[in-house]
Amino acid sequence: MSTRDSGGTRDRRAAKHERLLEVGTSDHYEDAALYDFEYADRTDDVRWYRRLARERAGGSPILELGAGTGRITCRLAQDGHPLIALDRMQAMLDVLSQRAAKKKFAHAIKLVRGEMVALPCEDASVGMVIVPFNGLMHLYRWEDLLTCFREARRVLQPGGVLAFDVELPDLEWLMWDPVERHAITRFVHPTSGAKLVYSTNHTYDLQTQVCHVRIYYDDAPKAGQPFAPPKTPRKLVHLAHRQIFPEEIRNLVAQAGLTLESLTGDFLGISLRRGIQSQVVVCVRPD
Ligand SMILES: C[S@@+](CC[C@H](N)C(=O)[O-])C[C@H]1O[C@@H](n2cnc3c(N)ncnc32)[C@H](O)[C@@H]1O
């Protein structure tokens, strides 16, 4: 193979990877009503961020990166905190805006469409930066994570807190058979009323640390009939999540000039061990 050919192949592979990352950052957040429906029973994190904000935010604004539909944002606004809610997806911000208006918190939340690596705030202007529910797993290179942490440090007041949670990489799960369907669940779509079956599988790219999750939505079989995945799914959603290992977090946080206060599991304040799903991190901007 000539050098030119191998360069061309490399370029095509890189372009395909970039496209997959782009789709994997947006696909899952196009149907914001479905997103809310799928994660309605996730409440431990809401309780944890509310308590942290009560104890550490003072009266200063809280900046939420990847605020989504406002699952956490609106509860913090309800507790009396002023918020800046940043997200790159208009569909998610639209739902956040409707939810805030319905609950009469709209005045307390400034919505910003933007990227987590360029924060729309003055230096030392916020008391807390939060990135709940795996938002940072959409930054696919360590350089992007470092930029985000540096930006958080810049906008935090001295003594201010950066808090986030990301999945704890589970190597056994990551290497599962990429074809077999998992988490097969029947449900009714919250807006269309369609009777569907949800299922997933995934491929882990060891080179980039990105897990490419495929979420399938298929027509539900008649009651009592088993589900057999059709050749072509009714809808396929791609979700790209970069795995972030604990030592990476410690390293990047330190490089950004933040002090790591705690790195614990599952919103329970316990040390990381097998079976834990979320790494929950609190860092402080030193005075
Ligand atoms: C899993 S959702 C979390 C939403 C919300 N914080 C929650 O806890 O339900 C991740 C959010 O991050 C947003 N996001 C992903 N990459 C982003 C980026 N680079 N900059 C800003 N927002 C981003 C997505 O659009 C999505 O709304």
Side-chain angles (χ1 to χ4, degrees), residues 2 7 14 26 31 64 77 103 109 119 130 138 140 147 159 174 181 188 197 218 243 253 255 265 267:
S2 73
S26 45
D31 188 343
E64 182 180 357
K103 307 240 174 185
I109 306 172
L119 303 185
I130 61 171
H138 288 297
Y140 299 110
T147 302
L174 288 167
R181 298 286 181 91
V188 177
V197 173
D218 290 305
Q243 305 300 300
V253 158
Q255 277 199 62
F267 307 98

PDB file of all heavy atoms in Angstrom, residues 2 7 14 26 31 64 77 103 109 119 130 138 140 147 159 174 181 188 197 218 243 253 255 265 267:
ATOM      1  N   SER A   2       0.590   2.222  -0.861  1.00  0.00           N
ATOM      2  CA  SER A   2       1.429   3.411  -0.902  1.00  0.00           C
ATOM      3  C   SER A   2       1.151   4.297   0.317  1.00  0.00           C
ATOM      4  O   SER A   2       0.125   4.172   0.972  1.00  0.00           O
ATOM      5  CB  SER A   2       1.132   4.200  -2.178  1.00  0.00           C
ATOM      6  OG  SER A   2      -0.117   4.830  -2.035  1.00  0.00           O
ATOM      7  N   GLY A   7      -2.467   7.110   3.987  1.00  0.00           N
ATOM      8  CA  GLY A   7      -2.882   8.423   4.515  1.00  0.00           C
ATOM      9  C   GLY A   7      -4.355   8.666   4.246  1.00  0.00           C
ATOM     10  O   GLY A   7      -5.090   9.116   5.127  1.00  0.00           O
ATOM     11  N   ALA A  14     -10.597   8.810  10.215  1.00  0.00           N
ATOM     12  CA  ALA A  14     -10.690   9.931  11.169  1.00  0.00           C
ATOM     13  C   ALA A  14     -11.971  10.721  10.930  1.00  0.00           C
ATOM     14  O   ALA A  14     -12.664  11.115  11.880  1.00  0.00           O
ATOM     15  CB  ALA A  14      -9.465  10.838  11.021  1.00  0.00           C
ATOM     16  N   SER A  26     -25.373  14.522  19.773  1.00  0.00           N
ATOM     17  CA  SER A  26     -26.649  15.222  19.571  1.00  0.00           C
ATOM     18  C   SER A  26     -27.868  14.298  19.475  1.00  0.00           C
ATOM     19  O   SER A  26     -28.941  14.625  19.989  1.00  0.00           O
ATOM     20  CB  SER A  26     -26.565  16.115  18.332  1.00  0.00           C
ATOM     21  OG  SER A  26     -25.963  15.435  17.269  1.00  0.00           O
ATOM     22  N   ASP A  31     -34.847  14.316  20.909  1.00  0.00           N
ATOM     23  CA  ASP A  31     -36.208  14.091  21.403  1.00  0.00           C
ATOM     24  C   ASP A  31     -36.183  14.327  22.915  1.00  0.00           C
ATOM     25  O   ASP A  31     -36.033  13.402  23.720  1.00  0.00           O
ATOM     26  CB  ASP A  31     -36.636  12.652  21.065  1.00  0.00           C
ATOM     27  CG  ASP A  31     -38.110  12.404  21.386  1.00  0.00           C
ATOM     28  OD1 ASP A  31     -38.710  13.203  22.142  1.00  0.00           O
ATOM     29  OD2 ASP A  31     -38.650  11.391  20.889  1.00  0.00           O
ATOM     30  N   GLU A  64     -24.606  25.773  35.364  1.00  0.00           N
ATOM     31  CA  GLU A  64     -24.745  24.334  35.053  1.00  0.00           C
ATOM     32  C   GLU A  64     -24.362  24.101  33.600  1.00  0.00           C
ATOM     33  O   GLU A  64     -24.942  24.698  32.691  1.00  0.00           O
ATOM     34  CB  GLU A  64     -26.178  23.847  35.304  1.00  0.00           C
ATOM     35  CG  GLU A  64     -26.288  22.343  35.033  1.00  0.00           C
ATOM     36  CD  GLU A  64     -27.678  21.763  35.266  1.00  0.00           C
ATOM     37  OE1 GLU A  64     -28.580  22.503  35.701  1.00  0.00           O
ATOM     38  OE2 GLU A  64     -27.848  20.564  34.990  1.00  0.00           O
ATOM     39  N   ALA A  77     -33.403  26.126  41.124  1.00  0.00           N
ATOM     40  CA  ALA A  77     -34.103  27.427  41.061  1.00  0.00           C
ATOM     41  C   ALA A  77     -35.213  27.471  42.109  1.00  0.00           C
ATOM     42  O   ALA A  77     -35.415  28.491  42.777  1.00  0.00           O
ATOM     43  CB  ALA A  77     -34.675  27.636  39.658  1.00  0.00           C
ATOM     44  N   LYS A 103     -43.256  26.462  36.079  1.00  0.00           N
ATOM     45  CA  LYS A 103     -43.062  26.461  37.538  1.00  0.00           C
ATOM     46  C   LYS A 103     -42.773  27.861  38.074  1.00  0.00           C
ATOM     47  O   LYS A 103     -42.450  28.033  39.253  1.00  0.00           O
ATOM     48  CB  LYS A 103     -41.904  25.532  37.910  1.00  0.00           C
ATOM     49  CG  LYS A 103     -42.039  24.154  37.349  1.00  0.00           C
ATOM     50  CD  LYS A 103     -42.073  23.129  38.434  1.00  0.00           C
ATOM     51  CE  LYS A 103     -42.364  21.783  37.805  1.00  0.00           C
ATOM     52  NZ  LYS A 103     -42.536  20.693  38.645  1.00  0.00           N
ATOM     53  N   ILE A 109     -33.421  31.819  35.961  1.00  0.00           N
ATOM     54  CA  ILE A 109     -32.529  31.007  35.115  1.00  0.00           C
ATOM     55  C   ILE A 109     -32.194  31.740  33.822  1.00  0.00           C
ATOM     56  O   ILE A 109     -33.075  32.079  33.038  1.00  0.00           O
ATOM     57  CB  ILE A 109     -33.202  29.652  34.756  1.00  0.00           C
ATOM     58  CG1 ILE A 109     -33.653  28.918  36.025  1.00  0.00           C
ATOM     59  CG2 ILE A 109     -32.253  28.782  33.953  1.00  0.00           C
ATOM     60  CD1 ILE A 109     -34.498  27.681  35.751  1.00  0.00           C
ATOM     61  N   LEU A 119     -16.823  29.238  28.415  1.00  0.00           N
ATOM     62  CA  LEU A 119     -17.923  29.583  29.318  1.00  0.00           C
ATOM     63  C   LEU A 119     -18.297  31.066  29.225  1.00  0.00           C
ATOM     64  O   LEU A 119     -17.414  31.931  29.200  1.00  0.00           O
ATOM     65  CB  LEU A 119     -17.565  29.185  30.752  1.00  0.00           C
ATOM     66  CG  LEU A 119     -17.212  27.696  30.908  1.00  0.00           C
ATOM     67  CD1 LEU A 119     -16.993  27.337  32.370  1.00  0.00           C
ATOM     68  CD2 LEU A 119     -18.277  26.801  30.279  1.00  0.00           C
ATOM     69  N   ILE A 130     -21.563  23.229  38.024  1.00  0.00           N
ATOM     70  CA  ILE A 130     -21.923  21.809  38.106  1.00  0.00           C
ATOM     71  C   ILE A 130     -22.070  21.223  36.693  1.00  0.00           C
ATOM     72  O   ILE A 130     -22.473  21.936  35.765  1.00  0.00           O
ATOM     73  CB  ILE A 130     -23.221  21.570  38.926  1.00  0.00           C
ATOM     74  CG1 ILE A 130     -24.425  22.279  38.299  1.00  0.00           C
ATOM     75  CG2 ILE A 130     -23.043  22.008  40.372  1.00  0.00           C
ATOM     76  CD1 ILE A 130     -25.755  21.911  38.942  1.00  0.00           C
ATOM     77  N   HIS A 138     -19.078  13.790  27.082  1.00  0.00           N
ATOM     78  CA  HIS A 138     -19.189  14.255  25.694  1.00  0.00           C
ATOM     79  C   HIS A 138     -17.984  15.094  25.270  1.00  0.00           C
ATOM     80  O   HIS A 138     -17.963  15.610  24.153  1.00  0.00           O
ATOM     81  CB  HIS A 138     -20.471  15.048  25.491  1.00  0.00           C
ATOM     82  CG  HIS A 138     -21.695  14.187  25.494  1.00  0.00           C
ATOM     83  ND1 HIS A 138     -21.918  13.218  24.551  1.00  0.00           N
ATOM     84  CD2 HIS A 138     -22.746  14.135  26.341  1.00  0.00           C
ATOM     85  CE1 HIS A 138     -23.062  12.604  24.808  1.00  0.00           C
ATOM     86  NE2 HIS A 138     -23.584  13.131  25.890  1.00  0.00           N
ATOM     87  N   TYR A 140     -14.428  14.588  24.162  1.00  0.00           N
ATOM     88  CA  TYR A 140     -13.846  13.329  23.710  1.00  0.00           C
ATOM     89  C   TYR A 140     -12.319  13.273  23.768  1.00  0.00           C
ATOM     90  O   TYR A 140     -11.743  12.237  23.498  1.00  0.00           O
ATOM     91  CB  TYR A 140     -14.356  13.021  22.302  1.00  0.00           C
ATOM     92  CG  TYR A 140     -15.864  12.874  22.300  1.00  0.00           C
ATOM     93  CD1 TYR A 140     -16.684  13.829  21.698  1.00  0.00           C
ATOM     94  CD2 TYR A 140     -16.468  11.813  22.962  1.00  0.00           C
ATOM     95  CE1 TYR A 140     -18.055  13.708  21.728  1.00  0.00           C
ATOM     96  CE2 TYR A 140     -17.842  11.682  23.006  1.00  0.00           C
ATOM     97  CZ  TYR A 140     -18.631  12.626  22.390  1.00  0.00           C
ATOM     98  OH  TYR A 140     -19.990  12.512  22.444  1.00  0.00           O
ATOM     99  N   THR A 147      -9.479  21.966  29.155  1.00  0.00           N
ATOM    100  CA  THR A 147      -9.969  23.318  28.826  1.00  0.00           C
ATOM    101  C   THR A 147     -11.220  23.632  29.644  1.00  0.00           C
ATOM    102  O   THR A 147     -11.357  24.742  30.194  1.00  0.00           O
ATOM    103  CB  THR A 147     -10.301  23.402  27.312  1.00  0.00           C
ATOM    104  OG1 THR A 147      -9.138  23.079  26.586  1.00  0.00           O
ATOM    105  CG2 THR A 147     -10.785  24.790  26.926  1.00  0.00           C
ATOM    106  N   GLY A 159     -12.530  29.883  46.372  1.00  0.00           N
ATOM    107  CA  GLY A 159     -13.302  29.067  47.321  1.00  0.00           C
ATOM    108  C   GLY A 159     -14.527  28.422  46.686  1.00  0.00           C
ATOM    109  O   GLY A 159     -15.194  27.599  47.310  1.00  0.00           O
ATOM    110  N   LEU A 174     -17.956  -2.809  29.182  1.00  0.00           N
ATOM    111  CA  LEU A 174     -17.535  -2.161  27.930  1.00  0.00           C
ATOM    112  C   LEU A 174     -17.228  -3.188  26.844  1.00  0.00           C
ATOM    113  O   LEU A 174     -17.422  -2.916  25.660  1.00  0.00           O
ATOM    114  CB  LEU A 174     -16.311  -1.274  28.184  1.00  0.00           C
ATOM    115  CG  LEU A 174     -16.599   0.008  28.966  1.00  0.00           C
ATOM    116  CD1 LEU A 174     -15.305   0.656  29.452  1.00  0.00           C
ATOM    117  CD2 LEU A 174     -17.395   0.998  28.121  1.00  0.00           C
ATOM    118  N   ARG A 181     -28.626  -7.674  21.962  1.00  0.00           N
ATOM    119  CA  ARG A 181     -29.381  -6.546  22.527  1.00  0.00           C
ATOM    120  C   ARG A 181     -29.527  -6.699  24.049  1.00  0.00           C
ATOM    121  O   ARG A 181     -29.760  -7.812  24.534  1.00  0.00           O
ATOM    122  CB  ARG A 181     -30.779  -6.474  21.912  1.00  0.00           C
ATOM    123  CG  ARG A 181     -30.796  -6.244  20.422  1.00  0.00           C
ATOM    124  CD  ARG A 181     -30.445  -4.828  20.052  1.00  0.00           C
ATOM    125  NE  ARG A 181     -30.502  -4.696  18.606  1.00  0.00           N
ATOM    126  CZ  ARG A 181     -31.586  -4.328  17.932  1.00  0.00           C
ATOM    127  NH1 ARG A 181     -32.696  -4.015  18.569  1.00  0.00           N
ATOM    128  NH2 ARG A 181     -31.561  -4.236  16.613  1.00  0.00           N
ATOM    129  N   VAL A 188     -44.378   3.110  26.141  1.00  0.00           N
ATOM    130  CA  VAL A 188     -45.222   3.908  25.245  1.00  0.00           C
ATOM    131  C   VAL A 188     -44.572   5.283  25.122  1.00  0.00           C
ATOM    132  O   VAL A 188     -44.276   5.936  26.126  1.00  0.00           O
ATOM    133  CB  VAL A 188     -46.653   4.031  25.822  1.00  0.00           C
ATOM    134  CG1 VAL A 188     -47.513   4.920  24.942  1.00  0.00           C
ATOM    135  CG2 VAL A 188     -47.274   2.644  25.966  1.00  0.00           C
ATOM    136  N   VAL A 197     -40.356  -0.842  21.686  1.00  0.00           N
ATOM    137  CA  VAL A 197     -39.404  -1.597  22.513  1.00  0.00           C
ATOM    138  C   VAL A 197     -38.058  -0.877  22.433  1.00  0.00           C
ATOM    139  O   VAL A 197     -37.585  -0.532  21.344  1.00  0.00           O
ATOM    140  CB  VAL A 197     -39.237  -3.049  22.014  1.00  0.00           C
ATOM    141  CG1 VAL A 197     -38.127  -3.760  22.784  1.00  0.00           C
ATOM    142  CG2 VAL A 197     -40.538  -3.814  22.174  1.00  0.00           C
ATOM    143  N   ASP A 218     -37.889   0.028  18.475  1.00  0.00           N
ATOM    144  CA  ASP A 218     -38.600  -0.810  17.504  1.00  0.00           C
ATOM    145  C   ASP A 218     -40.071  -0.918  17.875  1.00  0.00           C
ATOM    146  O   ASP A 218     -40.435  -0.705  19.039  1.00  0.00           O
ATOM    147  CB  ASP A 218     -37.973  -2.220  17.487  1.00  0.00           C
ATOM    148  CG  ASP A 218     -36.577  -2.196  16.869  1.00  0.00           C
ATOM    149  OD1 ASP A 218     -36.448  -1.720  15.724  1.00  0.00           O
ATOM    150  OD2 ASP A 218     -35.617  -2.614  17.544  1.00  0.00           O
ATOM    151  N   GLN A 243     -14.948   7.360  28.134  1.00  0.00           N
ATOM    152  CA  GLN A 243     -14.744   6.865  29.498  1.00  0.00           C
ATOM    153  C   GLN A 243     -13.649   7.688  30.174  1.00  0.00           C
ATOM    154  O   GLN A 243     -12.615   7.969  29.562  1.00  0.00           O
ATOM    155  CB  GLN A 243     -14.347   5.381  29.462  1.00  0.00           C
ATOM    156  CG  GLN A 243     -15.339   4.512  28.715  1.00  0.00           C
ATOM    157  CD  GLN A 243     -16.725   4.560  29.346  1.00  0.00           C
ATOM    158  OE1 GLN A 243     -16.899   4.203  30.506  1.00  0.00           O
ATOM    159  NE2 GLN A 243     -17.723   5.011  28.595  1.00  0.00           N
ATOM    160  N   VAL A 253      -7.749  17.745  36.924  1.00  0.00           N
ATOM    161  CA  VAL A 253      -8.221  18.716  37.913  1.00  0.00           C
ATOM    162  C   VAL A 253      -7.014  19.484  38.489  1.00  0.00           C
ATOM    163  O   VAL A 253      -7.035  20.714  38.601  1.00  0.00           O
ATOM    164  CB  VAL A 253      -9.012  17.971  39.022  1.00  0.00           C
ATOM    165  CG1 VAL A 253      -9.064  18.765  40.300  1.00  0.00           C
ATOM    166  CG2 VAL A 253     -10.408  17.620  38.538  1.00  0.00           C
ATOM    167  N   GLN A 255      -4.038  19.810  37.069  1.00  0.00           N
ATOM    168  CA  GLN A 255      -3.446  20.643  36.000  1.00  0.00           C
ATOM    169  C   GLN A 255      -4.215  21.942  35.808  1.00  0.00           C
ATOM    170  O   GLN A 255      -3.650  22.951  35.421  1.00  0.00           O
ATOM    171  CB  GLN A 255      -3.470  19.887  34.677  1.00  0.00           C
ATOM    172  CG  GLN A 255      -2.328  18.930  34.467  1.00  0.00           C
ATOM    173  CD  GLN A 255      -2.188  18.608  32.975  1.00  0.00           C
ATOM    174  OE1 GLN A 255      -1.937  19.502  32.177  1.00  0.00           O
ATOM    175  NE2 GLN A 255      -2.354  17.356  32.631  1.00  0.00           N
ATOM    176  N   GLY A 265     -18.421   7.432  45.248  1.00  0.00           N
ATOM    177  CA  GLY A 265     -19.304   6.666  44.383  1.00  0.00           C
ATOM    178  C   GLY A 265     -20.780   6.867  44.631  1.00  0.00           C
ATOM    179  O   GLY A 265     -21.235   6.955  45.782  1.00  0.00           O
ATOM    180  N   PHE A 267     -23.218   8.946  44.710  1.00  0.00           N
ATOM    181  CA  PHE A 267     -23.901   9.963  45.532  1.00  0.00           C
ATOM    182  C   PHE A 267     -24.086   9.494  46.973  1.00  0.00           C
ATOM    183  O   PHE A 267     -24.954   9.980  47.693  1.00  0.00           O
ATOM    184  CB  PHE A 267     -25.260  10.363  44.916  1.00  0.00           C
ATOM    185  CG  PHE A 267     -25.121  10.786  43.486  1.00  0.00           C
ATOM    186  CD1 PHE A 267     -25.390   9.919  42.439  1.00  0.00           C
ATOM    187  CD2 PHE A 267     -24.652  12.062  43.180  1.00  0.00           C
ATOM    188  CE1 PHE A 267     -25.206  10.305  41.122  1.00  0.00           C
ATOM    189  CE2 PHE A 267     -24.464  12.462  41.874  1.00  0.00           C
ATOM    190  CZ  PHE A 267     -24.745  11.577  40.848  1.00  0.00           C
TER     191      PHE A 267
END
